[in-house]
Amino acid sequence: MTGALFRNAASDAARILRSHTLNPVGKLDLLPRGDIRRFQPRPYFRTPQFLGRSKEASVLSHSLISRLCSSSSTTASTASFTKARFMEWYLGMLKTRPVLTKSVTCSLIYIAADLTSQTIPQASSESYDLVRTARMAGYGLLILGPTLHYWFNLMSRLFPKRDLITTFKKMAMAQTVYGPTMSVIFFSLNAALQGENGTEIIARLKRDLLPTMRNGVMYWPMCDFITFKFVPVHLQPLVSNSFSYLWTIYVTYMAGREKPTPIAS
């Protein structure tokens, strides 16, 4: 009986060994091949569903970028179109109503320059002198704007060429005739509108006119050279007013100073 049991055990062991394979290193492979494949790592790959979502996201992102680009280009084109229409309108106004257009432009520049001039030395608690700003606006609208129109037209008729010698002649006329005359008118009228009498106006001119003219000789020659040499006559007041923005900040500051004490004779 013992021999029969031993033979049965040996037969079962042989059957078990035949049902399992040996791996290359000679060890028992205790799991079926299907189970081994189940435990092997799988390579990562995108499923068709994920690929579809990725393509949709890519399409949406490209669509969003194209919309943003088209929106920015539309805004830029609209701004450029608006500027072009404004320049077309302004040039048309210069042809149809030159004096009025140049006067209003000059008045706006004087308003901006005077507000800037009041802002520079002003403390935060102080308020703007709107009466002073109104005086500057009236001077630009009623006096400086019209005189600039006729002055540049006169220079164009007297010296029609644009060569270097002619340009220097126009610059000399501006520095010796137009500039000093308009400075006297500006300081005298502004002082009179503030209630100063003749003696006080003369004292102000003695104090402020010479420094203003001296500083004007340092500032205006280059501006006049560019204006007379390169700018058409109908646009010269506009360019001159553009240059005069900084200058107006200075002269409005000078005009806003306290009145000097007249010296008794």
Side-chain angles (χ1 to χ4, degrees):
M1 180 180 291
T2 304
L5 290 174
F6 182 80
R7 285 193 298 270
N8 289 335
S11 176
D12 292 338
R15 190 165 50 255
I16 292 172
L17 288 175
R18 285 196 300 270
S19 64
H20 295 81
T21 58
L22 292 174
N23 57 21
V25 295
K27 295 183 179 180
L28 285 175
D29 193 357
L30 298 179
L31 290 175
R33 292 189 179 274
D35 295 335
I36 294 175
R37 285 195 296 268
R38 192 175 61 212
F39 286 94
Q40 289 178 348
R42 298 180 182 178
Y44 177 77
F45 62 95
R46 298 178 184 271
T47 62
Q49 183 180 5
F50 186 82
L51 287 173
R53 292 179 181 176
S54 178
K55 290 180 180 179
E56 290 178 1
S58 177
V59 171
L60 289 175
S61 63
H62 284 299
S63 176
L64 180 59
I65 292 173
S66 62
R67 287 180 182 178
L68 290 175
C69 293
S70 62
S71 176
S72 60
S73 61
T74 301
T75 304
S77 62
T78 302
S80 60
F81 177 75
T82 303
K83 292 179 181 179
R85 289 296 300 271
F86 175 77
M87 288 303 300
E88 181 181 356
W89 171 82
Y90 186 81
L91 293 176
M93 290 296 295
L94 282 177
K95 291 181 179 180
T96 57
R97 298 180 178 179
V99 178
L100 177 62
T101 303
K102 295 170 186 178
S103 299
V104 171
T105 303
C106 186
S107 178
L108 292 175
I109 291 175
Y110 259 69
I111 290 174
D114 182 68
L115 292 176
T116 305
S117 177
Q118 293 188 50
T119 302
I120 293 174
Q122 188 182 51
S124 58
S125 60
E126 296 180 359
S127 59
Y128 288 96
D129 187 353
L130 298 182
V131 176
R132 165 181 155 175
T133 304
R135 289 199 303 269
M136 301 305 162
Y139 174 79
L141 179 67
L142 301 176
I143 297 178
L144 186 61
T147 57
L148 279 174
H149 169 76
Y150 293 111
W151 170 257
F152 283 114
N153 286 342
L154 176 62
M155 290 294 100
S156 178
R157 288 194 297 267
L158 293 178
F159 309 103
K161 297 181 181 181
R162 288 194 184 183
D163 58 280
L164 199 59
I165 300 301
T166 304
T167 302
F168 284 140
K169 291 179 180 179
K170 294 177 182 179
M171 291 169 57
M173 292 287 291
Q175 292 298 315
T176 58
V177 177
Y178 185 78
T181 301
M182 296 309 299
S183 295
V184 171
I185 294 174
F186 175 76
F187 285 120
S188 301
L189 181 61
N190 183 74
L193 292 175
Q194 294 183 80
E196 298 180 14
N197 55 34
T199 304
E200 293 171 335
I201 292 175
I202 293 175
R204 180 180 290 274
L205 291 175
K206 289 180 178 179
R207 186 191 67 181
D208 298 336
L209 182 60
L210 186 59
T212 302
M213 292 177 60
R214 184 171 60 248
N215 292 326
V217 171
M218 294 186 292
Y219 179 78
W220 277 108
M222 182 56 66
C223 301
D224 288 338
F225 178 81
I226 296 173
T227 303
F228 287 123
K229 179 67 177 175
F230 303 107
V231 181
V233 177
H234 68 287
L235 292 178
Q236 286 178 353
L238 174 62
V239 175
S240 180
N241 284 327
S242 300
F243 284 127
S244 69
Y245 176 77
L246 293 176
W247 177 251
T248 305
I249 294 175
Y250 168 72
V251 296
T252 53
Y253 164 74
M254 294 292 289
R257 297 171 67 188
E258 295 181 359
K259 59 183 180 181
T261 301
I263 299 176
S265 56

